Amino acid sequence: NVRLWGNCRNIHLSCCVFKVVPSNLKGKSKSSQEWMARQLNDPYVKKAHDMNYRARSAFKLIEIDDKVKILKPGQTVVECGAAPGAWSQVIVQRINSNGKAVVKKRKIGTVIGIDLLPIAPLEGAIFLDGCDFTSVESVEKIKAILAARSMDKVEGDQPYIKEGLQETAEREVVEGENNNVNVKKDEVKSKSGEMNGMVDVVLSDMAPNATGQRDTDHPRIMRLVEAALVFAVKNGKPGGHFLAKVWDGSEVKRLESVMEKYYEKVSRHKPQSSRNDSSEIFILGRFKK
């Protein structure tokens, strides 16, 4: 504030004058108007657009992974709640699942994303959209792809790169269902005897449709996270990692206590790109026991 006491004039300078005010708000609800205003003035929305990410959420994963480095070339990653695919874009880049990165020994990773919502195709990613991760059928589809991918590695082939990830994955799932294929993890071994078909990193960005009632929303997202954790514990590779988004609340400490039984290190993360007024936090379990 600059005050000129001689003539009692006040000049107020504030960054609010630079905010963009959305137009065409007629007929919009108050919450919709607030959301539009927030989007227009969010630097991460603009940054996502400039860097060709599908959503600003990409920067949350980037910030966390830059700090803890859980994503590496050649890994197998399962992403729960993958729509619209922003996290998947980051994962593809960091594990080299599209085979474009220049890395030693041509390490090519695998990323499987699943969501109830539609997901536009992405080179280097296998998407199972329209699928409920909490259902047995969806988990079996993921396991079928993992088993087939492991067999490909044993045989030294890379059909996912040559023929296209999405098409190959869909064919394998259908063939597995038609032939009632059930590949057990102890049946899939590399030439060195190392177990394949297991997951290096499980990520969960799942969230239910929010009602705005914390007592309702918090337990619902925790049930989704618990389903992802069960999958990670059963299918995660020793030394692997688990990262999940939660809405802060009474059950988070209990979740952390459970994770400490299975992971060497458990920590909370709140990236700068996560809005200050959001209750979301990310719980990370590192180095599966």
Side-chain angles (χ1 to χ4, degrees):
N1 295 333
V2 178
R3 296 185 178 182
L4 303 178
W5 294 104
N7 54 13
C8 298
R9 289 188 304 166
N10 294 332
I11 300 175
H12 299 277
L13 300 178
S14 172
C15 62
C16 65
V17 298
F18 298 107
K19 288 185 177 180
V20 179
V21 178
S23 57
N24 302 322
L25 294 179
K26 188 175 181 180
K28 302 286 186 181
S29 65
K30 183 180 178 181
S31 60
S32 295
Q33 293 181 28
E34 291 174 347
W35 181 86
M36 290 176 66
R38 185 173 60 183
Q39 290 292 102
L40 285 172
N41 291 284
D42 189 326
Y44 287 101
V45 172
K46 182 180 185 304
K47 191 175 179 181
H49 181 268
D50 293 342
M51 297 181 68
N52 200 33
Y53 284 122
R54 297 182 179 184
R56 69 186 302 282
S57 59
F59 299 106
K60 300 174 187 177
L61 180 57
I62 289 172
E63 286 184 62
I64 294 172
D65 190 52
D66 281 350
K67 182 178 180 180
V68 299
K69 303 185 186 308
I70 58 175
L71 298 174
K72 299 177 182 178
Q75 288 179 327
T76 296
V77 178
V78 172
E79 180 193 359
C80 313
W87 275 26
S88 304
Q89 289 176 289
V90 177
I91 299 166
V92 166
Q93 294 168 355
R94 301 206 169 194
I95 70 170
N96 190 34
S97 59
N98 59 6
K100 292 184 177 181
V102 179
V103 294
K104 293 181 180 179
K105 298 182 180 179
R106 189 171 163 75
K107 292 182 178 180
I108 298 174
T110 300
V111 54
I112 303 171
I114 183 170
D115 204 299
L116 279 168
L117 299 174
I119 317 172
L122 174 67
E123 183 181 3
I126 303 166
F127 287 143
L128 299 173
D129 55 5
C131 292
D132 180 1
F133 175 77
T134 62
S135 72
V136 175
E137 293 79 10
S138 294
V139 172
E140 289 304 314
K141 286 183 178 181
I142 295 173
K143 289 181 178 180
I145 295 172
L146 290 172
R149 183 73 175 108
S150 296
M151 293 303 296
D152 293 332
K153 287 184 178 180
V154 171
E155 296 168 1
D157 201 359
Q158 296 289 351
Y160 287 83
I161 299 300
K162 293 190 299 183
E163 301 177 22
L165 281 160
Q166 192 71 34
E167 293 80 359
T168 306
E170 289 173 352
R171 185 181 68 252
E172 287 163 348
V173 169
V174 171
E175 289 175 353
E177 290 173 345
N178 292 341
N179 299 320
N180 194 27
V181 176
N182 182 20
V183 182
K184 296 181 181 180
K185 66 181 182 181
D186 58 354
E187 294 175 345
V188 184
K189 296 183 179 181
S190 67
K191 295 176 182 178
S192 63
E194 180 182 355
M195 198 75 67
N196 285 313
M198 302 184 75
V199 185
D200 294 284
V201 183
V202 176
L203 305 173
S204 174
D205 196 27
M206 293 187 291
N209 292 326
T211 65
Q213 301 296 321
R214 185 169 182 169
D215 292 344
T216 300
D217 295 336
H218 177 63
R220 290 172 65 195
I221 195 172
M222 295 305 294
R223 300 295 84 78
L224 295 175
V225 172
E226 287 168 359
L229 177 59
V230 169
F231 178 87
V233 169
K234 289 184 176 180
N235 301 279
K237 184 180 295 183
H241 315 294
F242 173 73
L243 176 68
K245 177 179 74 178
V246 301
W247 293 328
D248 200 8
S250 59
E251 295 189 41
V252 173
K253 285 187 177 181
R254 181 182 61 82
L255 172 66
E256 291 173 319
S257 297
V258 173
M259 289 175 61
E260 286 171 351
K261 297 178 182 179
Y262 301 101
Y263 294 89
E264 297 289 347
K265 297 181 180 180
V266 176
S267 56
R268 297 188 186 192
H269 297 266
K270 179 75 171 178
Q272 288 186 351
S273 52
S274 179
R275 294 187 173 107
N276 292 331
D277 60 354
S278 171
S279 65
E280 72 174 5
I281 56 175
F282 295 84
I283 309 299
L284 172 64
R286 299 174 67 192
F287 310 114
K288 184 174 178 290
K289 299 176 182 178

